[in-house]
Amino acid sequence: MSQRVLNSRSLLTDLSSGAQHGDLYNFLRKHLPYPIPSHVLEAAVHAIAQVAANPHQHPQLHSYVTSQLNIEKTLARRLKLLSPKDFEDLLHPVFQEDEITLIATGGVLGLAAGGLQTQLGWGGPGATLRAIGTIVFTLSSSLALYMHQEYEKDQDKPLASKARPNLRRRETIIRANPTLESLANDIMGDYR
């Protein structure tokens, strides 16, 4: 998952999306000194978008981001902290798309198994009526469960809060790694 979904390319793409109206631009505008011109901030956001779009041209930067964020271990640690209910809520959207297919497939397989049992004569006298009753009960209970879940979905509150985190600026001096400095020069060439 850390290589297919949460990787440096997708994180940098999400970070740089929106250009001048994006979260990264707004974050930089808020936390960097005001005299820095807007075109410099736009260039920085554009450079991050270019790095994200061309990972093969900047493999050192992507490996650096991946190692510093430690995506795989962080994801594993956070997933282990989830309660069973929260973990189910996390996975439910993955299966929700195919839920009706799974219910219908279960009904068809139950129908086939019941029909096979009836044709083979298992169950003695009256097996046909009991099999039909079981099939009707199974299909109707599956439909009722599906309808109940659809009703509950309409009643659910949003899972994520819209509140923004309170981020504080730290007074630090950033010193770039020489390798990263050369990458920054390559990327920012025209904008400096």
Side-chain angles (χ1 to χ4, degrees):
M1 185 163 162
S2 64
Q3 286 144 2
R4 289 184 289 143
V5 178
L6 293 175
N7 54 37
S8 61
R9 180 180 182 175
S10 63
L11 291 173
L12 291 174
T13 300
D14 286 346
L15 189 65
S16 62
S17 66
Q20 191 172 7
H21 302 290
D23 291 337
L24 177 61
Y25 179 86
N26 293 334
F27 178 81
L28 292 174
R29 178 68 346 195
K30 181 177 179 185
H31 292 286
L32 290 176
Y34 186 77
I36 295 177
S38 294
H39 69 275
V40 172
L41 298 180
E42 290 172 22
V45 172
H46 178 72
I48 290 175
Q50 289 298 323
V51 166
N54 303 309
H56 58 279
Q57 290 180 355
H58 309 286
Q60 298 151 332
L61 180 67
H62 285 277
S63 64
Y64 177 77
V65 169
T66 301
S67 68
Q68 290 301 309
L69 293 178
N70 204 2
I71 296 169
E72 187 172 343
K73 288 182 181 177
T74 303
L75 184 61
R77 184 174 44 83
R78 294 279 177 97
L79 286 175
K80 287 178 184 175
L81 293 175
L82 290 176
S83 69
K85 176 70 175 144
D86 291 337
F87 188 72
E88 179 187 343
D89 289 344
L90 177 72
L91 288 181
H92 187 72
V94 174
F95 297 107
Q96 187 175 15
E97 182 176 300
D98 297 326
E99 191 171 20
I100 190 68
T101 306
L102 292 172
I103 292 171
T105 303
V108 169
L109 290 175
L111 178 68
L116 183 64
Q117 287 178 352
T118 304
Q119 291 301 317
L120 292 175
W122 296 343
T128 304
L129 288 177
R130 284 196 303 261
I132 291 172
T134 302
I135 291 168
V136 169
F137 174 75
T138 304
L139 290 175
S140 62
S141 61
S142 295
L143 178 64
L145 176 65
Y146 175 74
M147 297 303 286
H148 176 69
Q149 288 175 343
E150 288 296 313
Y151 174 76
E152 278 187 346
K153 188 176 17 173
D154 293 338
Q155 304 301 320
D156 281 346
K157 295 178 182 172
L159 295 177
S161 170
K162 297 287 183 184
R164 303 295 266 157
N166 184 12
L167 300 175
R168 291 182 296 162
R169 180 176 179 197
R170 294 182 183 161
E171 300 297 327
T172 59
I173 298 173
I174 298 174
R175 291 188 180 96
N177 185 331
T179 312
L180 295 178
E181 186 69 29
S182 65
L183 287 172
N185 287 337
D186 292 344
I187 295 167
M188 298 290 289
D190 297 339
Y191 293 104
R192 285 191 171 192

mmCIF file with all atom_site columns, all heavy atoms in Angstrom, residues 15 17-32 41 45 164:
data_model
loop_
_atom_site.group_PDB
_atom_site.id
_atom_site.type_symbol
_atom_site.label_atom_id
_atom_site.label_alt_id
_atom_site.label_comp_id
_atom_site.label_asym_id
_atom_site.label_entity_id
_atom_site.label_seq_id
_atom_site.pdbx_PDB_ins_code
_atom_site.Cartn_x
_atom_site.Cartn_y
_atom_site.Cartn_z
_atom_site.occupancy
_atom_site.B_iso_or_equiv
_atom_site.pdbx_formal_charge
_atom_site.auth_seq_id
_atom_site.auth_comp_id
_atom_site.auth_asym_id
_atom_site.auth_atom_id
_atom_site.pdbx_PDB_model_num
ATOM 1   N N   . LEU A 1 15  ? 0.027  17.760 -2.407 1.00 0.00 ? 15  LEU A N   1
ATOM 2   C CA  . LEU A 1 15  ? 0.541  18.956 -1.751 1.00 0.00 ? 15  LEU A CA  1
ATOM 3   C C   . LEU A 1 15  ? 0.560  20.147 -2.700 1.00 0.00 ? 15  LEU A C   1
ATOM 4   O O   . LEU A 1 15  ? 0.227  21.271 -2.318 1.00 0.00 ? 15  LEU A O   1
ATOM 5   C CB  . LEU A 1 15  ? 1.957  18.669 -1.231 1.00 0.00 ? 15  LEU A CB  1
ATOM 6   C CG  . LEU A 1 15  ? 2.608  19.691 -0.342 1.00 0.00 ? 15  LEU A CG  1
ATOM 7   C CD1 . LEU A 1 15  ? 1.836  19.811 0.958  1.00 0.00 ? 15  LEU A CD1 1
ATOM 8   C CD2 . LEU A 1 15  ? 4.042  19.301 -0.057 1.00 0.00 ? 15  LEU A CD2 1
ATOM 9   N N   . SER A 1 17  ? -1.273 20.539 -5.518 1.00 0.00 ? 17  SER A N   1
ATOM 10  C CA  . SER A 1 17  ? -2.488 20.785 -6.295 1.00 0.00 ? 17  SER A CA  1
ATOM 11  C C   . SER A 1 17  ? -3.143 22.094 -5.866 1.00 0.00 ? 17  SER A C   1
ATOM 12  O O   . SER A 1 17  ? -3.060 22.495 -4.720 1.00 0.00 ? 17  SER A O   1
ATOM 13  C CB  . SER A 1 17  ? -3.478 19.625 -6.131 1.00 0.00 ? 17  SER A CB  1
ATOM 14  O OG  . SER A 1 17  ? -3.932 19.573 -4.804 1.00 0.00 ? 17  SER A OG  1
ATOM 15  N N   . GLY A 1 18  ? -3.767 22.751 -6.802 1.00 0.00 ? 18  GLY A N   1
ATOM 16  C CA  . GLY A 1 18  ? -4.467 23.988 -6.502 1.00 0.00 ? 18  GLY A CA  1
ATOM 17  C C   . GLY A 1 18  ? -3.678 25.237 -6.814 1.00 0.00 ? 18  GLY A C   1
ATOM 18  O O   . GLY A 1 18  ? -4.213 26.333 -6.770 1.00 0.00 ? 18  GLY A O   1
ATOM 19  N N   . ALA A 1 19  ? -2.389 25.104 -7.096 1.00 0.00 ? 19  ALA A N   1
ATOM 20  C CA  . ALA A 1 19  ? -1.514 26.225 -7.428 1.00 0.00 ? 19  ALA A CA  1
ATOM 21  C C   . ALA A 1 19  ? -1.699 27.387 -6.462 1.00 0.00 ? 19  ALA A C   1
ATOM 22  O O   . ALA A 1 19  ? -1.501 27.226 -5.263 1.00 0.00 ? 19  ALA A O   1
ATOM 23  C CB  . ALA A 1 19  ? -1.714 26.645 -8.865 1.00 0.00 ? 19  ALA A CB  1
ATOM 24  N N   . GLN A 1 20  ? -2.117 28.558 -6.968 1.00 0.00 ? 20  GLN A N   1
ATOM 25  C CA  . GLN A 1 20  ? -2.202 29.748 -6.120 1.00 0.00 ? 20  GLN A CA  1
ATOM 26  C C   . GLN A 1 20  ? -3.346 29.661 -5.109 1.00 0.00 ? 20  GLN A C   1
ATOM 27  O O   . GLN A 1 20  ? -3.323 30.350 -4.103 1.00 0.00 ? 20  GLN A O   1
ATOM 28  C CB  . GLN A 1 20  ? -2.353 30.993 -6.982 1.00 0.00 ? 20  GLN A CB  1
ATOM 29  C CG  . GLN A 1 20  ? -2.184 32.272 -6.200 1.00 0.00 ? 20  GLN A CG  1
ATOM 30  C CD  . GLN A 1 20  ? -2.147 33.483 -7.107 1.00 0.00 ? 20  GLN A CD  1
ATOM 31  O OE1 . GLN A 1 20  ? -2.371 33.387 -8.292 1.00 0.00 ? 20  GLN A OE1 1
ATOM 32  N NE2 . GLN A 1 20  ? -1.856 34.635 -6.530 1.00 0.00 ? 20  GLN A NE2 1
ATOM 33  N N   . HIS A 1 21  ? -4.316 28.819 -5.346 1.00 0.00 ? 21  HIS A N   1
ATOM 34  C CA  . HIS A 1 21  ? -5.438 28.711 -4.413 1.00 0.00 ? 21  HIS A CA  1
ATOM 35  C C   . HIS A 1 21  ? -5.345 27.435 -3.577 1.00 0.00 ? 21  HIS A C   1
ATOM 36  O O   . HIS A 1 21  ? -6.280 27.086 -2.875 1.00 0.00 ? 21  HIS A O   1
ATOM 37  C CB  . HIS A 1 21  ? -6.764 28.733 -5.176 1.00 0.00 ? 21  HIS A CB  1
ATOM 38  C CG  . HIS A 1 21  ? -6.928 29.976 -5.995 1.00 0.00 ? 21  HIS A CG  1
ATOM 39  N ND1 . HIS A 1 21  ? -7.133 31.213 -5.434 1.00 0.00 ? 21  HIS A ND1 1
ATOM 40  C CD2 . HIS A 1 21  ? -6.872 30.170 -7.338 1.00 0.00 ? 21  HIS A CD2 1
ATOM 41  C CE1 . HIS A 1 21  ? -7.217 32.118 -6.386 1.00 0.00 ? 21  HIS A CE1 1
ATOM 42  N NE2 . HIS A 1 21  ? -7.060 31.515 -7.559 1.00 0.00 ? 21  HIS A NE2 1
ATOM 43  N N   . GLY A 1 22  ? -4.224 26.725 -3.661 1.00 0.00 ? 22  GLY A N   1
ATOM 44  C CA  . GLY A 1 22  ? -4.050 25.465 -2.957 1.00 0.00 ? 22  GLY A CA  1
ATOM 45  C C   . GLY A 1 22  ? -3.607 25.656 -1.520 1.00 0.00 ? 22  GLY A C   1
ATOM 46  O O   . GLY A 1 22  ? -3.218 26.747 -1.082 1.00 0.00 ? 22  GLY A O   1
ATOM 47  N N   . ASP A 1 23  ? -3.630 24.557 -0.791 1.00 0.00 ? 23  ASP A N   1
ATOM 48  C CA  . ASP A 1 23  ? -3.261 24.580 0.624  1.00 0.00 ? 23  ASP A CA  1
ATOM 49  C C   . ASP A 1 23  ? -1.784 24.903 0.828  1.00 0.00 ? 23  ASP A C   1
ATOM 50  O O   . ASP A 1 23  ? -1.429 25.617 1.761  1.00 0.00 ? 23  ASP A O   1
ATOM 51  C CB  . ASP A 1 23  ? -3.583 23.239 1.279  1.00 0.00 ? 23  ASP A CB  1
ATOM 52  C CG  . ASP A 1 23  ? -5.074 23.006 1.395  1.00 0.00 ? 23  ASP A CG  1
ATOM 53  O OD1 . ASP A 1 23  ? -5.827 24.001 1.398  1.00 0.00 ? 23  ASP A OD1 1
ATOM 54  O OD2 . ASP A 1 23  ? -5.492 21.830 1.500  1.00 0.00 ? 23  ASP A OD2 1
ATOM 55  N N   . LEU A 1 24  ? -0.911 24.361 -0.028 1.00 0.00 ? 24  LEU A N   1
ATOM 56  C CA  . LEU A 1 24  ? 0.523  24.628 0.135  1.00 0.00 ? 24  LEU A CA  1
ATOM 57  C C   . LEU A 1 24  ? 0.825  26.107 -0.060 1.00 0.00 ? 24  LEU A C   1
ATOM 58  O O   . LEU A 1 24  ? 1.549  26.711 0.732  1.00 0.00 ? 24  LEU A O   1
ATOM 59  C CB  . LEU A 1 24  ? 1.346  23.785 -0.844 1.00 0.00 ? 24  LEU A CB  1
ATOM 60  C CG  . LEU A 1 24  ? 2.858  24.038 -0.801 1.00 0.00 ? 24  LEU A CG  1
ATOM 61  C CD1 . LEU A 1 24  ? 3.417  23.704 0.575  1.00 0.00 ? 24  LEU A CD1 1
ATOM 62  C CD2 . LEU A 1 24  ? 3.568  23.259 -1.877 1.00 0.00 ? 24  LEU A CD2 1
ATOM 63  N N   . TYR A 1 25  ? 0.267  26.701 -1.092 1.00 0.00 ? 25  TYR A N   1
ATOM 64  C CA  . TYR A 1 25  ? 0.497  28.128 -1.344 1.00 0.00 ? 25  TYR A CA  1
ATOM 65  C C   . TYR A 1 25  ? -0.002 28.958 -0.149 1.00 0.00 ? 25  TYR A C   1
ATOM 66  O O   . TYR A 1 25  ? 0.697  29.849 0.333  1.00 0.00 ? 25  TYR A O   1
ATOM 67  C CB  . TYR A 1 25  ? -0.203 28.572 -2.624 1.00 0.00 ? 25  TYR A CB  1
ATOM 68  C CG  . TYR A 1 25  ? -0.007 30.045 -2.919 1.00 0.00 ? 25  TYR A CG  1
ATOM 69  C CD1 . TYR A 1 25  ? 1.102  30.478 -3.617 1.00 0.00 ? 25  TYR A CD1 1
ATOM 70  C CD2 . TYR A 1 25  ? -0.929 30.991 -2.470 1.00 0.00 ? 25  TYR A CD2 1
ATOM 71  C CE1 . TYR A 1 25  ? 1.299  31.816 -3.881 1.00 0.00 ? 25  TYR A CE1 1
ATOM 72  C CE2 . TYR A 1 25  ? -0.731 32.334 -2.725 1.00 0.00 ? 25  TYR A CE2 1
ATOM 73  C CZ  . TYR A 1 25  ? 0.372  32.741 -3.423 1.00 0.00 ? 25  TYR A CZ  1
ATOM 74  O OH  . TYR A 1 25  ? 0.574  34.077 -3.660 1.00 0.00 ? 25  TYR A OH  1
ATOM 75  N N   . ASN A 1 26  ? -1.204 28.651 0.322  1.00 0.00 ? 26  ASN A N   1
ATOM 76  C CA  . ASN A 1 26  ? -1.752 29.387 1.469  1.00 0.00 ? 26  ASN A CA  1
ATOM 77  C C   . ASN A 1 26  ? -0.907 29.191 2.722  1.00 0.00 ? 26  ASN A C   1
ATOM 78  O O   . ASN A 1 26  ? -0.709 30.123 3.501  1.00 0.00 ? 26  ASN A O   1
ATOM 79  C CB  . ASN A 1 26  ? -3.195 28.956 1.728  1.00 0.00 ? 26  ASN A CB  1
ATOM 80  C CG  . ASN A 1 26  ? -4.113 29.383 0.614  1.00 0.00 ? 26  ASN A CG  1
ATOM 81  O OD1 . ASN A 1 26  ? -3.849 30.358 -0.098 1.00 0.00 ? 26  ASN A OD1 1
ATOM 82  N ND2 . ASN A 1 26  ? -5.186 28.645 0.429  1.00 0.00 ? 26  ASN A ND2 1
ATOM 83  N N   . PHE A 1 27  ? -0.404 27.965 2.924  1.00 0.00 ? 27  PHE A N   1
ATOM 84  C CA  . PHE A 1 27  ? 0.449  27.691 4.076  1.00 0.00 ? 27  PHE A CA  1
ATOM 85  C C   . PHE A 1 27  ? 1.739  28.508 3.983  1.00 0.00 ? 27  PHE A C   1
ATOM 86  O O   . PHE A 1 27  ? 2.161  29.136 4.957  1.00 0.00 ? 27  PHE A O   1
ATOM 87  C CB  . PHE A 1 27  ? 0.759  26.191 4.154  1.00 0.00 ? 27  PHE A CB  1
ATOM 88  C CG  . PHE A 1 27  ? 1.678  25.828 5.275  1.00 0.00 ? 27  PHE A CG  1
ATOM 89  C CD1 . PHE A 1 27  ? 1.201  25.689 6.564  1.00 0.00 ? 27  PHE A CD1 1
ATOM 90  C CD2 . PHE A 1 27  ? 3.034  25.633 5.040  1.00 0.00 ? 27  PHE A CD2 1
ATOM 91  C CE1 . PHE A 1 27  ? 2.047  25.368 7.598  1.00 0.00 ? 27  PHE A CE1 1
ATOM 92  C CE2 . PHE A 1 27  ? 3.889  25.314 6.065  1.00 0.00 ? 27  PHE A CE2 1
ATOM 93  C CZ  . PHE A 1 27  ? 3.400  25.174 7.358  1.00 0.00 ? 27  PHE A CZ  1
ATOM 94  N N   . LEU A 1 28  ? 2.364  28.499 2.806  1.00 0.00 ? 28  LEU A N   1
ATOM 95  C CA  . LEU A 1 28  ? 3.599  29.262 2.624  1.00 0.00 ? 28  LEU A CA  1
ATOM 96  C C   . LEU A 1 28  ? 3.357  30.763 2.789  1.00 0.00 ? 28  LEU A C   1
ATOM 97  O O   . LEU A 1 28  ? 4.149  31.461 3.406  1.00 0.00 ? 28  LEU A O   1
ATOM 98  C CB  . LEU A 1 28  ? 4.200  28.978 1.241  1.00 0.00 ? 28  LEU A CB  1
ATOM 99  C CG  . LEU A 1 28  ? 4.739  27.565 1.018  1.00 0.00 ? 28  LEU A CG  1
ATOM 100 C CD1 . LEU A 1 28  ? 5.163  27.385 -0.427 1.00 0.00 ? 28  LEU A CD1 1
ATOM 101 C CD2 . LEU A 1 28  ? 5.871  27.251 1.969  1.00 0.00 ? 28  LEU A CD2 1
ATOM 102 N N   . ARG A 1 29  ? 2.254  31.263 2.240  1.00 0.00 ? 29  ARG A N   1
ATOM 103 C CA  . ARG A 1 29  ? 1.940  32.687 2.347  1.00 0.00 ? 29  ARG A CA  1
ATOM 104 C C   . ARG A 1 29  ? 1.744  33.075 3.802  1.00 0.00 ? 29  ARG A C   1
ATOM 105 O O   . ARG A 1 29  ? 2.153  34.156 4.229  1.00 0.00 ? 29  ARG A O   1
ATOM 106 C CB  . ARG A 1 29  ? 0.671  32.981 1.530  1.00 0.00 ? 29  ARG A CB  1
ATOM 107 C CG  . ARG A 1 29  ? 0.171  34.388 1.564  1.00 0.00 ? 29  ARG A CG  1
ATOM 108 C CD  . ARG A 1 29  ? 0.988  35.488 0.899  1.00 0.00 ? 29  ARG A CD  1
ATOM 109 N NE  . ARG A 1 29  ? 2.334  35.142 0.558  1.00 0.00 ? 29  ARG A NE  1
ATOM 110 C CZ  . ARG A 1 29  ? 3.317  35.982 0.234  1.00 0.00 ? 29  ARG A CZ  1
ATOM 111 N NH1 . ARG A 1 29  ? 3.163  37.235 0.170  1.00 0.00 ? 29  ARG A NH1 1
ATOM 112 N NH2 . ARG A 1 29  ? 4.505  35.593 -0.056 1.00 0.00 ? 29  ARG A NH2 1
ATOM 113 N N   . LYS A 1 30  ? 1.159  32.193 4.583  1.00 0.00 ? 30  LYS A N   1
ATOM 114 C CA  . LYS A 1 30  ? 0.867  32.488 5.984  1.00 0.00 ? 30  LYS A CA  1
ATOM 115 C C   . LYS A 1 30  ? 2.126  32.449 6.851  1.00 0.00 ? 30  LYS A C   1
ATOM 116 O O   . LYS A 1 30  ? 2.267  33.246 7.776  1.00 0.00 ? 30  LYS A O   1
ATOM 117 C CB  . LYS A 1 30  ? -0.170 31.488 6.512  1.00 0.00 ? 30  LYS A CB  1
ATOM 118 C CG  . LYS A 1 30  ? -0.576 31.712 7.942  1.00 0.00 ? 30  LYS A CG  1
ATOM 119 C CD  . LYS A 1 30  ? -1.652 30.732 8.360  1.00 0.00 ? 30  LYS A CD  1
ATOM 120 C CE  . LYS A 1 30  ? -2.042 30.928 9.808  1.00 0.00 ? 30  LYS A CE  1
ATOM 121 N NZ  . LYS A 1 30  ? -3.003 29.918 10.246 1.00 0.00 ? 30  LYS A NZ  1
ATOM 122 N N   . HIS A 1 31  ? 3.040  31.521 6.549  1.00 0.00 ? 31  HIS A N   1
ATOM 123 C CA  . HIS A 1 31  ? 4.154  31.286 7.462  1.00 0.00 ? 31  HIS A CA  1
ATOM 124 C C   . HIS A 1 31  ? 5.505  31.834 7.012  1.00 0.00 ? 31  HIS A C   1
ATOM 125 O O   . HIS A 1 31  ? 6.448  31.825 7.785  1.00 0.00 ? 31  HIS A O   1
ATOM 126 C CB  . HIS A 1 31  ? 4.281  29.784 7.739  1.00 0.00 ? 31  HIS A CB  1
ATOM 127 C CG  . HIS A 1 31  ? 3.125  29.253 8.520  1.00 0.00 ? 31  HIS A CG  1
ATOM 128 N ND1 . HIS A 1 31  ? 2.957  29.496 9.861  1.00 0.00 ? 31  HIS A ND1 1
ATOM 129 C CD2 . HIS A 1 31  ? 2.059  28.520 8.137  1.00 0.00 ? 31  HIS A CD2 1
ATOM 130 C CE1 . HIS A 1 31  ? 1.855  28.921 10.279 1.00 0.00 ? 31  HIS A CE1 1
ATOM 131 N NE2 . HIS A 1 31  ? 1.278  28.330 9.252  1.00 0.00 ? 31  HIS A NE2 1
ATOM 132 N N   . LEU A 1 32  ? 5.601  32.297 5.797  1.00 0.00 ? 32  LEU A N   1
ATOM 133 C CA  . LEU A 1 32  ? 6.856  32.908 5.357  1.00 0.00 ? 32  LEU A CA  1
ATOM 134 C C   . LEU A 1 32  ? 6.732  34.426 5.469  1.00 0.00 ? 32  LEU A C   1
ATOM 135 O O   . LEU A 1 32  ? 5.640  34.976 5.402  1.00 0.00 ? 32  LEU A O   1
ATOM 136 C CB  . LEU A 1 32  ? 7.163  32.492 3.916  1.00 0.00 ? 32  LEU A CB  1
ATOM 137 C CG  . LEU A 1 32  ? 7.544  31.027 3.731  1.00 0.00 ? 32  LEU A CG  1
ATOM 138 C CD1 . LEU A 1 32  ? 7.742  30.705 2.260  1.00 0.00 ? 32  LEU A CD1 1
ATOM 139 C CD2 . LEU A 1 32  ? 8.792  30.672 4.514  1.00 0.00 ? 32  LEU A CD2 1
ATOM 140 N N   . LEU A 1 41  ? 6.562  32.097 -4.458 1.00 0.00 ? 41  LEU A N   1
ATOM 141 C CA  . LEU A 1 41  ? 5.761  31.025 -3.863 1.00 0.00 ? 41  LEU A CA  1
ATOM 142 C C   . LEU A 1 41  ? 5.106  30.171 -4.939 1.00 0.00 ? 41  LEU A C   1
ATOM 143 O O   . LEU A 1 41  ? 5.059  28.943 -4.824 1.00 0.00 ? 41  LEU A O   1
ATOM 144 C CB  . LEU A 1 41  ? 4.700  31.611 -2.926 1.00 0.00 ? 41  LEU A CB  1
ATOM 145 C CG  . LEU A 1 41  ? 5.222  32.402 -1.725 1.00 0.00 ? 41  LEU A CG  1
ATOM 146 C CD1 . LEU A 1 41  ? 4.068  32.917 -0.891 1.00 0.00 ? 41  LEU A CD1 1
ATOM 147 C CD2 . LEU A 1 41  ? 6.162  31.575 -0.899 1.00 0.00 ? 41  LEU A CD2 1
ATOM 148 N N   . VAL A 1 45  ? 5.614  26.094 -5.577 1.00 0.00 ? 45  VAL A N   1
ATOM 149 C CA  . VAL A 1 45  ? 4.507  25.140 -5.730 1.00 0.00 ? 45  VAL A CA  1
ATOM 150 C C   . VAL A 1 45  ? 4.597  24.452 -7.097 1.00 0.00 ? 45  VAL A C   1
ATOM 151 O O   . VAL A 1 45  ? 4.414  23.239 -7.208 1.00 0.00 ? 45  VAL A O   1
ATOM 152 C CB  . VAL A 1 45  ? 3.146  25.842 -5.544 1.00 0.00 ? 45  VAL A CB  1
ATOM 153 C CG1 . VAL A 1 45  ? 2.000  24.916 -5.879 1.00 0.00 ? 45  VAL A CG1 1
ATOM 154 C CG2 . VAL A 1 45  ? 3.008  26.357 -4.114 1.00 0.00 ? 45  VAL A CG2 1
ATOM 155 N N   . ARG A 1 164 ? -9.670 22.870 10.733 1.00 0.00 ? 164 ARG A N   1
ATOM 156 C CA  . ARG A 1 164 ? -8.264 22.862 10.333 1.00 0.00 ? 164 ARG A CA  1
ATOM 157 C C   . ARG A 1 164 ? -7.403 22.747 11.583 1.00 0.00 ? 164 ARG A C   1
ATOM 158 O O   . ARG A 1 164 ? -7.718 23.315 12.621 1.00 0.00 ? 164 ARG A O   1
ATOM 159 C CB  . ARG A 1 164 ? -7.910 24.154 9.604  1.00 0.00 ? 164 ARG A CB  1
ATOM 160 C CG  . ARG A 1 164 ? -8.748 24.424 8.387  1.00 0.00 ? 164 ARG A CG  1
ATOM 161 C CD  . ARG A 1 164 ? -8.551 23.408 7.310  1.00 0.00 ? 164 ARG A CD  1
ATOM 162 N NE  . ARG A 1 164 ? -7.558 23.900 6.400  1.00 0.00 ? 164 ARG A NE  1
ATOM 163 C CZ  . ARG A 1 164 ? -6.847 23.138 5.626  1.00 0.00 ? 164 ARG A CZ  1
ATOM 164 N NH1 . ARG A 1 164 ? -7.010 21.856 5.641  1.00 0.00 ? 164 ARG A NH1 1
ATOM 165 N NH2 . ARG A 1 164 ? -5.970 23.636 4.837  1.00 0.00 ? 164 ARG A NH2 1
#
